[in-house]
Amino acid sequence: MIKTYNKINDVEIQLLKGFIGRKLKNIKHDPFIFTPTSYGVVYLTIDDLLYSITDFYESVKCLDFIEDISVLKINDNITEVKSYLKDTKLITENINQTINSISIINGKSSIKKNNESFSFEDTYGIIFTLDDDYQFAFEKDDFGESITIYRGYNLFEKFKYLKDNFEKEAYDISLNPSFEFDIINLK
Amino acid sequence: MGTYKGGFPTYRSLRDNLDVTKNNYDYKNGYFGNKGKSSVNDIREIYSDDQFKEAKSFYDKITYGGIETPLANDKGLITKLKDGTIITYREITSTINSPAVEINIRTSKDACGIKNQKIHFEGSKKK
């Protein structure tokens, strides 16, 4: 079995754990034009500290190929707040709600090719559950570096397409493509 | 924050640009070009004598009438179409001399059968 990974790491998980019980004051993102997406970065103000979720390409070994794949990361020690689009001013969206739990949406995809098994584990998004179970979800982009921002309830539903997409579309059925979620719930 | 792309009087959707794009490039089952070297269906290849010119031409056809913004690092362009399709043109990728166009229909309300895909444009092997 050849295993490769593109998941949020333990340091980032600890950083996310530290968000629980604190107030998400606002998020900063590109203006939404036709789509609720921000290019490469969303900034989070939690209490009075600034963090970011980023999604930029890195050359990654994924199953049987190497390609530029976006990598979702959680960052602290932010020194500059800026859009990664030219001449674009970020907008601030006030939220002012407590972060009660966080779900990290990991998934494991696998194929079998020429008697060799490949697996790839990736982080596809992060869901923040706030007061009254209201949620914000940040989904990475497989075909670009945008982050899609969802809001509402039961936002894991937004990610369910990943399984069908991988198993029925991404690879020929002869390669036995399979996909399983591996969700980390932080409370 | 982005400029209107093209001379059309209204914003356009992916549907409006599909015919001209399909008429100029191989197209089958929602994908442009041919499957690349890996087994995955959504990484595609299109060959051309001038892959940089071809990639930009493809991008210009499929994004006509959208809102285009240059990436801050000057390495590409992103266009959003009215239906929510996002198309990115990247002149430089980690594959040497292989610009790419990415079609993301994740937030599209009318993808017309087009699938999410990344198309690498490669120097002439076959056309």
Side-chain angles (χ1 to χ4, degrees):
Chain A
M1 169 79 82
I2 297 174
K3 297 179 180 179
T4 50
Y5 305 88
N6 189 31
K7 292 193 296 185
I8 281 179
N9 63 33
D10 289 344
V11 172
E12 292 167 290
I13 291 171
Q14 290 306 314
L15 192 57
L16 286 170
K17 263 188 188 171
F19 293 172
I20 308 295
R22 293 165 65 191
K23 183 162 281 190
L24 178 59
K25 286 193 166 178
N26 63 55
I27 60 174
K28 300 178 197 297
H29 52 75
D30 291 329
F32 293 164
I33 299 171
F34 300 143
T35 65
T37 53
S38 188
Y39 194 84
V41 67
V42 176
Y43 297 94
L44 314 173
T45 306
I46 297 175
D47 291 336
D48 288 319
L49 296 173
L50 194 62
Y51 303 88
S52 70
I53 299 173
T54 53
D55 184 35
F56 292 113
Y57 275 139
E58 293 180 17
S59 184
V60 173
K61 171 93 169 89
C62 171
L63 301 170
D64 65 332
F65 63 95
I66 297 173
E67 181 58 67
D68 292 336
I69 290 178
S70 61
V71 181
L72 203 63
K73 291 184 177 175
I74 311 298
N75 312 282
D76 57 0
N77 299 318
I78 310 299
T79 55
E80 188 178 18
V81 177
K82 63 173 186 178
S83 172
Y84 285 81
L85 296 176
K86 197 164 263 187
D87 301 327
T88 298
K89 190 176 175 186
L90 297 171
I91 62 170
T92 299
E93 184 177 345
N94 291 319
I95 296 172
N96 286 315
Q97 291 199 39
T98 302
I99 301 168
N100 293 313
S101 64
I102 294 173
S103 298
I104 301 167
I105 312 301
N106 288 338
K108 179 180 179 180
S109 49
S110 59
I111 60 167
K112 193 168 185 180
K113 181 181 177 184
N114 300 332
N115 293 321
E116 185 81 72
S117 295
F118 298 83
S119 77
F120 179 63
E121 295 181 42
D122 201 353
T123 297
Y124 296 92
I126 303 167
I127 301 173
F128 286 64
T129 301
L130 309 175
D131 298 336
D132 301 322
D133 292 329
Y134 193 74
Q135 294 180 323
F136 273 79
F138 304 94
E139 182 189 24
K140 80 163 191 164
D141 184 353
D142 266 355
F143 296 89
E145 296 177 311
S146 296
I147 297 170
T148 303
I149 303 169
Y150 298 107
R151 65 203 66 209
Y153 297 92
N154 300 316
L155 292 181
F156 175 63
E157 294 292 322
K158 298 284 187 187
F159 295 87
K160 283 187 171 173
Y161 81 99
L162 287 163
K163 182 174 173 65
D164 263 6
N165 185 65
F166 186 80
E167 294 183 347
K168 296 177 180 171
E169 186 61 47
Y171 281 86
D172 290 339
I173 202 81
S174 61
L175 300 177
N176 295 318
S178 79
F179 182 94
E180 299 301 330
F181 283 104
D182 178 19
I183 298 167
I184 299 174
N185 290 308
L186 306 175
K187 289 184 179 177
Chain B
M1 198 183 75
T3 54
Y4 178 65
K5 182 180 172 65
F8 212 73
T10 57
Y11 294 123
R12 286 163 68 91
S13 292
L14 182 62
R15 178 177 294 279
D16 301 317
N17 297 333
L18 267 189
D19 281 349
V20 70
T21 314
K22 284 179 182 176
N23 289 341
N24 282 276
Y25 297 93
D26 289 341
Y27 174 83
K28 191 177 180 185
N29 297 332
Y31 294 112
F32 291 98
N34 299 302
K35 193 153 78 171
K37 297 168 191 75
S38 71
S39 306
V40 70
N41 290 322
D42 48 26
I43 307 290
R44 316 296 297 178
E45 290 179 346
I46 290 177
Y47 286 87
S48 170
D49 291 336
D50 186 339
Q51 65 269 40
F52 292 95
K53 188 177 171 185
E54 197 72 64
K56 188 63 169 51
S57 175
F58 179 97
Y59 167 80
D60 285 339
K61 284 181 178 65
I62 204 165
T63 57
Y64 187 68
I67 295 180
E68 179 181 81
T69 310
L71 305 184
N73 60 11
D74 286 325
K75 289 182 178 173
L77 301 162
I78 185 168
T79 293
K80 293 184 178 182
L81 294 168
K82 190 174 69 175
D83 64 286
T85 299
I86 301 173
I87 298 168
T88 311
Y89 165 73
R90 294 190 304 128
E91 190 169 321
I92 299 167
T93 68
S94 65
T95 308
I96 295 169
N97 288 326
S98 178
V101 175
E102 293 142 356
I103 302 172
N104 184 343
I105 51 97
R106 180 77 178 106
T107 51
S108 172
K109 295 178 180 71
D110 182 25
C112 314
I114 297 289
K115 311 277 177 62
N116 273 333
Q117 59 198 280
K118 176 185 290 186
I119 307 161
H120 278 287
F121 290 79
E122 308 270 354
S124 181
K125 182 170 94 179
K126 53 189 173 183
K127 206 168 186 179

